[in-house]
Amino acid sequence: MTLPRIRIDAEALRTRLAGEVFSRVAGTSGPQRREQIFEAPGERWFGEDRPIRRVHADAAMFVGGLRALLFQSLHPLAMAGVAEHSDYREDPWGRLQRTSFFLAVTTFGPVSEAERAVDRVRGVHRRVRGVAADGRPYSAGDPHLLRWVHLAEIDSFLAAHQRYGAAPLSPSECDDYIADASLIASRLGVPDPPRTRPELADQLAAFRPELRGTPQARGAARYLLLRAPLPLAARVPYSALAAAAVGLMPAWTRWPLRLPYLPATEATWGRIAGHGVVSSIRWATAPRASASDRATDPAAVPAADPADAPEGAGAPPSPTRLPTRPAAGAHAPGRA
């Protein structure tokens, strides 16, 4: 008995997956933001060879972003600000789109747009203030809290890239990435941000006595890992992303957030699943080969017109979608 052959249109599947990713990450304003970031002329903060572009363009950022949110929640004052002033439960995708736009515009956009985005964030920070459940006042513009958010974010992005990125950084490139990130951190108001891995480790260690799991932090972790509003078809790949993010969390953070700690499983099946879903996102969002590429490269994968590919400026863009012109006068350190 001969079983029927099932034909799978890989390009149609890829287009559908890419559309789903970009609709979540970039929203309806994706095309407009793409022009605002990638097609606008002008010098950039970072040249095309800078490590920050490589890290922030990779699909491993999906894991790094989740890990950053979990890690940041361990500071009670930072978590209080999120719980009392953020709409992450009512509009999680809107918050994701705003965050991803900030990352994209400050990493890849013209200096004028990057500075405008930083000014907007600083304006929001000035309005976010209150009193935490333990009676301590907080302000999102507090340089100390800004430092914590920056440290947790950069540590997470780098950890995710080194484990799940397509091309992990060398030790010196890791230092260069942290130095790149310090530029945007400084503009956001972080005093003396770290510029090397030892400085990052030292500054993170200095925060350790201030960190603990609060009911707000544990509630946020449950929401992010178990209750994110997703269609049924997306729940399995999202679970793999979530498990990959948890697997990157330091062991001492697990109990305060009530996260599982299964070293053997995380080192085997967890990593396999993480690599699988990140590779799938990378495949779905990669640029298609142009007609000229296919004419000169027999190994090029046949594809539709690249103009038909769904894109969104807020998503981690493929490195080949970056502006091809030189970034005139690009400053070598920055990102927050």
Side-chain angles (χ1 to χ4, degrees), residues 239-267:
S239 295
L241 284 177
V246 171
L248 287 172
M249 292 287 284
W252 61 266
T253 67
R254 306 301 182 89
W255 175 247
L257 292 176
R258 304 300 188 264
L259 301 177
Y261 182 52
L262 304 167
T265 302
E266 291 170 5

Side-chain angles (χ1 to χ4, degrees), residues 48-61:
E48 294 181 25
D49 61 338
R50 296 305 301 172
I52 193 169
R53 285 190 170 221
R54 203 157 107 206
V55 173
H56 292 180
D58 197 277
M61 284 287 285

Side-chain angles (χ1 to χ4, degrees), residues 4-17:
R5 297 178 65 183
I6 300 175
R7 295 180 61 85
I8 298 176
D9 187 336
E11 275 305 312
L13 175 61
R14 181 167 145 178
T15 298
R16 181 177 177 183
L17 288 174

Side-chain angles (χ1 to χ4, degrees), residues 120-192:
R120 279 197 299 269
V121 170
R122 296 196 72 162
V124 171
H125 286 171
R126 284 192 289 270
R127 299 192 297 271
V128 175
R129 56 183 64 245
V131 179
D134 60 10
R136 290 183 293 165
Y138 65 82
S139 168
D142 177 358
H144 187 67
L145 289 184
L146 288 172
R147 181 188 301 280
W148 165 248
V149 170
H150 172 69
L151 297 176
E153 184 177 88
I154 296 309
D155 185 67
S156 296
F157 294 165
L158 187 56
H161 187 82
Q162 293 304 91
R163 180 169 296 179
Y164 296 108
L169 304 181
S170 69
S172 64
E173 287 174 329
C174 289
D175 286 342
D176 288 344
Y177 171 71
I178 296 167
D180 284 348
S182 71
L183 176 66
I184 306 168
S186 296
R187 281 162 168 73
L188 282 170
V190 179
D192 193 24

Side-chain angles (χ1 to χ4, degrees), residues 29-42 44 101 105 108-110 113 311-314 321 323 325:
S29 59
Q32 176 187 349
R33 287 181 165 179
R34 183 180 67 239
E35 292 182 12
Q36 191 177 352
I37 295 172
F38 300 106
E39 298 175 15
R44 269 66 176 165
F101 173 70
V105 75
F108 305 102
E113 292 292 342
E311 290 188 63
R321 282 201 188 117
R325 58 184 175 277

